[in-house]
Amino acid sequence: METTLIVGACQAGVQIASVMRERGDADPIILIGEEAHRPYQRPPLSKGWLKGELEPDDVILRNRDWFADREIDLITGDRVVTVRRRPDGTGTATTEGGRAISFTRLALATGAAARKLPIDGADYRGVHYLRDADDAIALGPALRDESCQNVVVIGGGFIGLEVAAVARGIGRTVTVLEAAPRLVGRVVAEETSAFYLDAHRRRGTRVVLDARIARIVGDDAAVAHEKGSVTGVELADGTIVPADLIVIGVGVIPRVELAEQLGLDVEAGIVVDEACRASDGRTVAAGDCALMPNPYPLGVGGRIRLESVNNAFEQGKIAAATLMGEPGTYQGVPWFWSDQADLKLQIAGLSTGYDAVVVRGEPVSERFSVLYYREGRLIAADCINQPVDFMAVRNTLNKGGTIPAETAADTAIPLKKSAVLPATTAA
Ligand code: FAD
């Protein structure tokens, strides 16, 4: 009999347990997560949750009965602090709460933590990060409180912009400070970045690009011996941007502590192969913590760490199969979404390495797509309020096809109609 220990009870961890049961594994599975909450979805935390529209039950991944019915032993609110494996592969994990858990199979689905900004004043009250439910539970009411008028978001990536959109939507004065020359520059083309800059400004958000932040300032006199509340952000030129609340969204750091204890190869994540197998040949890792050979056939190669629900889901499936000694493959092209105000962005494929883009539709209409090409071949698309384009691109890429750049800009021709598929699928 095997005993599987899955560390990290969120998107990837729950997926591993779920797929193992679907595939017929009947042996003990222990799924442990350090957060006190039942496994939940993170995306709503920067969207509906912040607006106050959702209850905890609305964001849970599976209810308690689901785990009980499948005899998955779910432990929440306890962190694995040490993990050891013997040469025969068996091992023991100990937890902060004093548990000692023996296992024969091990999965690391430890995710990532918010990257902290090493800056003076980041410890003032009113400075928030947003990675987990506790962060959201603290941030939501603070943002919605009447005393909160000026909101500063440090970081113009997806999470920062989603928070900015919610804050602006409830009437706050919002400033986004982005250190780079454009928004979401790591992931999207200049055309999409420029659109988001205009769209947020149209909605009344102030966006400062190339922002140089000197420090966070606050009201030190508030309480003796206690850090006061934040009052603003000082820029390098001495300007103070007033703030009652600051949200820092400057990326994440993969949680690799346990992998390091096990002596596994770690770079910008836990190094795994196509089967989600780590360097010891038997531990698996999946989701935000895993650095995998690029699973996208049209990708640029090398290893990649993807931060998306879709990736956690796909890698979770593969990791489950590998633990059971079966083959598993990454299915479909990577995809992602982000909701900012009434703007729904859907991304199909990975655009890294593109050499040309085609803009389909008018960005000012807030319904358009940016299609990415490399050597004449479609590799990805950002679709804003264009679910039909998204589905057409995703289906085309999934089938190994392309959409000629020459016709892609013509909105009179549905993308689906101009898709060119390989002979086997077209037939
Ligand atoms: P995580 O969700 O990080 O889960 C890992 C879990 O492991 C955590 O609960 C952690 O506490 C636990 N853990 C770590 N170490 C230990 C230990 N030693 N012992 C016990 N437990 C441990 N993706 C999208 O595709 N679309 C979106 O719109 C989107 N929006 C997002 C909004 C927010 C605010 C955030 C934070 C993320 C968003 N994402 C989005 C990203 C997506 O949520 C992640 O890619 C996904 O949650 C990754 O799942 P995971 O299971 O790999 O890691």
Side-chain angles (χ1 to χ4, degrees):
M1 189 178 68
E2 304 279 358
T3 299
T4 301
L5 173 64
I6 305 169
V7 186
C10 207
Q11 209 82 47
V14 171
Q15 174 73 346
I16 294 170
S18 167
V19 173
M20 286 181 74
R21 287 294 184 247
E22 274 167 29
R23 283 179 169 260
D25 186 278
D27 287 346
I29 298 178
I30 302 155
L31 175 63
I32 181 165
E34 69 185 344
E35 294 187 67
H37 311 277
R38 282 177 285 163
Y40 61 90
Q41 309 165 52
R42 260 164 239 281
L45 300 184
S46 50
K47 305 177 180 75
W49 180 278
L50 277 195
K51 292 184 208 162
E53 289 172 352
L54 302 174
E55 298 293 323
D57 274 0
D58 296 328
V59 301
I60 60 161
L61 273 170
R62 306 283 187 190
N63 59 31
R64 289 228 175 260
D65 288 348
W66 186 90
F67 292 99
D69 291 349
R70 283 157 188 77
E71 296 184 5
I72 296 166
D73 183 5
L74 173 66
I75 302 168
T76 54
D78 201 4
R79 186 163 69 93
V80 173
V81 285
T82 66
V83 62
R84 301 268 180 273
R85 266 196 125 147
R86 289 174 277 279
D88 67 358
T90 63
T92 308
T94 63
T95 72
E96 215 162 42
R99 290 182 168 92
I101 304 169
S102 298
F103 61 85
T104 56
R105 295 165 169 167
L106 178 64
L108 299 176
T110 45
R115 190 164 81 81
K116 303 288 184 208
L117 197 63
I119 185 174
D120 267 9
D123 51 348
Y124 278 115
R125 273 184 287 138
V127 178
H128 294 258
Y129 289 86
L130 180 53
R131 176 68 197 179
D132 59 32
D134 286 342
D135 295 337
I137 286 167
L139 176 59
L143 191 64
R144 296 194 298 275
D145 193 283
E146 282 306 306
S147 66
C148 172
Q149 281 309 314
N150 294 307
V151 174
V152 173
V153 174
I154 299 179
F158 286 127
I159 290 179
L161 292 180
E162 289 184 355
V163 173
V166 171
R168 189 65 206 122
I170 58 172
R172 304 296 175 248
T173 300
V174 183
T175 305
V176 175
L177 301 175
E178 167 55 55
R182 61 189 179 89
L183 297 174
V184 218
R186 206 166 49 89
V187 185
V188 299
E190 273 179 33
E191 287 77 357
T192 307
S193 293
F195 165 75
Y196 275 106
L197 179 64
D198 292 345
H200 281 274
R201 285 181 173 164
R202 267 198 294 277
R203 285 162 176 77
T205 292
R206 183 176 167 232
V207 181
V208 181
L209 301 175
D210 295 309
R212 296 288 167 266
I213 296 171
R215 63 191 179 114
I216 292 173
V217 290
D219 175 9
D220 276 326
V223 185
H225 309 302
E226 244 187 56
K227 204 72 183 172
S229 296
V230 65
T231 55
V233 177
E234 185 179 324
L235 303 180
D237 64 2
T239 317
I240 304 271
V241 184
D244 304 310
L245 185 148
I246 293 177
V247 181
I248 302 178
V250 292
V252 298
I253 293 177
R255 299 275 307 264
V256 298
E257 314 89 271
L258 299 180
E260 284 175 340
Q261 278 186 27
L262 289 163
L264 304 177
D265 287 353
V266 169
E267 293 171 11
I270 305 169
V271 175
V272 296
D273 63 12
E274 290 82 356
C276 286
R277 210 180 293 109
S279 56
D280 65 356
R282 50 190 169 213
T283 303
V284 297
D288 280 15
C289 66
L291 184 69
M292 188 192 222
N294 195 330
Y296 186 34
L298 299 173
V300 287
R303 290 184 197 275
I304 190 166
R305 200 175 59 75
L306 293 168
E307 295 161 23
S308 71
V309 168
N310 160 249
N311 179 66
F313 193 78
E314 286 303 321
Q315 288 188 344
K317 284 199 290 192
I318 298 170
T322 299
L323 284 176
M324 294 173 66
E326 297 170 6
T329 47
Y330 209 100
Q331 279 163 13
V333 302
W335 60 272
F336 179 80
W337 80 97
S338 170
D339 298 337
Q340 297 164 41
D342 51 351
L343 306 170
K344 183 161 196 74
L345 167 70
Q346 293 168 293
I347 300 180
L350 297 175
S351 60
T352 319
Y354 70 92
D355 54 28
V357 297
V358 171
V359 178
R360 175 180 167 84
E362 290 297 329
V364 74
S365 72
E366 302 199 333
R367 282 169 57 91
F368 75 107
S369 301
V370 175
L371 285 80
Y372 296 80
Y373 288 83
R374 192 173 62 243
E375 293 169 8
R377 174 144 195 201
L378 178 71
I379 56 169
D382 306 334
C383 306
I384 289 110
N385 289 337
Q386 288 291 36
V388 175
D389 282 2
F390 170 73
M391 284 314 294
V393 170
R394 195 176 146 196
N395 288 338
T396 303
L397 292 173
N398 276 340
K399 290 176 182 162
T402 188
I403 294 170
E406 298 70 37
T407 51
D410 187 346
T411 52
I413 310 172
L415 286 180
K416 192 178 163 186
K417 284 245 163 83
S418 47
V420 179
L421 302 177
T424 44
T425 41

